[in-house]
Amino acid sequence: MSAGVLTLYWHTIRHLRLIQIYGRIWFWLSRPRPDLRAAATMRPAPAAWVPCARAPSMTGSNQFRFLAIERTLESAADWNNAEWPKLWLYNAHYFDDLLATGFRQRADWHRALLVRWVAENPPNNGKRSGNGWEPYPTSLRIVNWAKWILAGNVPEAAVHQSLAVQARWLRKRLEIHLQGNHLWVNAKALVFAGALFDAAEADAWRTKGLAILQRELAEQILPDGGHFERSPMYHAIVLEDVLDLIQLASLYPSQFAVRDVIHWREVALKMLRWLRVMSHPDGGIALFNDAALGIAPDINALMDYAAQLSLAADQSALADIEALPQSGYVRLQAGAAVLIADVGLIGPDYLPGHAHADTLSFELSLHGKRVLVNGGTSTYEAGAERLQQRGTAMHNTVQVDGANSSEVWSSFRVARRARPLEVRWGCDSGVLWIEAGHDGYQRLPGRVIHRRRWMFEHGRLSVVDRLSGRYTDAMATFRFAPGLPVELTAPNAGKVGLPEQTMQWSVQGACAVNVRAGLWHPRFGVSERCNVLDLSFSGDRLESDFHWT
């Protein structure tokens, strides 16, 4: 193993918590056997489950569309088809369609699919049992099956029994080595199973799940309401989880402490406001870190869901400056333009798996349409595409000497990572501004520091980048949304064709200006062509100005 690889591993592992190291050893050595004892009866619920809006994924009795790819599960072997992406297979085991929009019209498909899954995915004694029995998909499936039952469906005896076996199995396979959103969903599943079944073992599941949720909620939700992994997509997922817990407690009030429910409602309101700040005027999330549209419910769906649970979310107009200091995001609004900037950590030190090297990147919307976009996320599969999408060049920020601002590697690894410096924001004479720097390039021989200042007002955005230290080349990248033509009109100026107007841009301090074809990945499995503006530094300062009507 080379010195470079050893360095990469060292700067990745040194941030881990002891429980992650111990937990990984325990997880791989442990071979618990499934507990096949008869399942207990289920507690009746006084009302039917009210689902959060979700797009359907079943297109036929055995046909599914996940991650923009449609496939048919023709045989039992297809649940673990080695030729299909693992994330697609995971989705097949989640059963998200059970309460998706129009679910009653697919009731026969759902009932048959539940029985089929039980028959074709048996637990194996002391052996690995395929994708469906991994803790994460097991957790999501337990919750979705429970919701389906709470919506008024009576499960077949085999499904009833399997649900108890899955909960017992999960209790022995908690993902303490992964922590974060994985351990969170494990705990949520134990709570759901514990509330649904009427037995002493179910009470133990619920007690264990609630203890984990209480601890994780305190750590994972930051004081500004954001999820600590700094992904707007995962934030929305966890927010839906919190709302689900509130609804579950309303169905089984005797199983939950009033103080817990009050706390969940307070947390949900903070999380809803955070998501409003981090959503574009089109209703979709900003694409920072691992984030894609269509995976989690958007802000409008979650606001509607919260209203059904009698949560009075704040719907007042957002201020011109909305800062999320613990999360490290700042939103500016000037007239019809909205800018969202990343000026924070890439994530928790011990859990940066969903981080991108996107420090000091930003996105811009104008008249309700996205104009400047980060590259997005279309895959979790290990390989060149995943590395490229996590890299600095796929984001609206500055790359130095071809390096990433944070050392992203593999699918979910980060070695040395950028840390924010001197973050400030304010308003002077009607001009909104943000200032920040980061030290991600200090690991390079020239020990470079990147500082950026955004100045934002009606009809204008100015981005000033400064670099200190030694470097050979540096480049600022601006990625425009698909369908927006970008052209040069002068050596250091050009225009962008917006739907109802034209944006002019100019640059000072560039030795080369290039417009090239690029890609935007707004959804998993989707890549759209777009135009990218690359500006090469001629010195240590680069000013990029964008003007519109």
Side-chain angles (χ1 to χ4, degrees), residues 77-198:
D78 280 342
W79 293 102
N80 297 289
N81 193 320
E83 297 180 358
W84 296 353
K86 192 174 184 69
L87 188 57
W88 196 98
L89 293 170
Y90 264 24
N91 274 267
H93 290 279
Y94 293 165
F95 281 75
D96 280 341
D97 195 76
L98 289 182
L99 290 182
T101 301
F103 64 92
R104 299 192 189 283
Q105 285 72 47
R106 300 186 298 282
D108 291 342
W109 293 355
H110 292 156
R111 186 169 292 277
L113 185 67
L114 286 160
V115 173
R116 179 185 171 189
W117 188 92
V118 173
E120 296 181 347
N121 292 274
N124 293 324
N125 288 331
K127 300 177 182 178
R128 304 211 179 277
S129 306
N131 295 301
W133 286 90
E134 292 184 26
Y136 192 80
T138 298
S139 298
L140 297 190
R141 185 174 57 254
I142 286 173
V143 171
N144 283 326
W145 286 19
K147 289 180 182 179
W148 179 80
I149 293 167
L150 291 171
N153 297 287
V154 178
E156 303 289 341
V159 174
H160 182 140
Q161 172 67 13
S162 176
L163 189 55
V165 173
Q166 291 176 55
R168 292 169 185 150
W169 174 261
L170 177 64
R171 176 61 185 87
K172 302 172 184 176
R173 300 295 283 165
L174 299 178
E175 293 173 287
I176 59 174
H177 61 302
L178 294 179
Q179 299 281 297
N181 68 83
H182 277 250
L183 185 59
W184 168 267
V185 299
N186 298 163
K188 179 189 175 186
L190 290 181
V191 170
F192 264 73
L196 188 64
F197 285 98
D198 189 3

Side-chain angles (χ1 to χ4, degrees), residues 222-232 274 277-278 286 288-289 322-331 339-348 358-362 374 418-421 423-425 434-438 454:
L222 302 171
D224 60 20
H227 186 253
F228 76 156
E229 293 191 56
R230 274 74 168 187
S231 158
W274 189 98
V277 173
M278 292 301 295
F288 294 99
N289 292 315
E322 291 283 354
L324 303 169
Q326 289 80 30
S327 300
Y329 293 109
V330 180
R331 180 187 193 271
L339 180 150
I340 306 174
D342 180 354
V343 292
L345 297 169
I346 62 170
D358 60 359
T359 308
L360 303 192
S361 66
F362 73 102
N374 284 318
R419 298 188 181 278
L421 303 169
V423 180
R424 302 188 304 151
W425 55 84
I434 310 170
E435 287 183 347
H438 77 81
W454 294 264

Side-chain angles (χ1 to χ4, degrees), residues 369-431:
K369 304 292 185 182
R370 299 188 191 219
V371 175
L372 287 168
V373 294
N374 284 318
T377 305
S378 72
T379 182
Y380 280 171
E381 295 293 306
E385 182 64 29
R386 171 67 171 157
L387 287 175
Q388 183 184 53
Q389 290 180 19
R390 297 180 77 199
T392 299
M394 289 295 291
H395 302 84
N396 296 316
T397 186
V398 172
Q399 186 177 40
V400 174
D401 288 338
N404 290 320
S405 56
S406 292
E407 274 186 308
V408 292
W409 63 284
S410 188
S411 293
F412 303 102
R413 303 283 183 263
V414 185
R416 288 168 288 188
R417 62 283 310 257
R419 298 188 181 278
L421 303 169
E422 302 162 1
V423 180
R424 302 188 304 151
W425 55 84
C427 179
D428 292 333
S429 302
V431 178

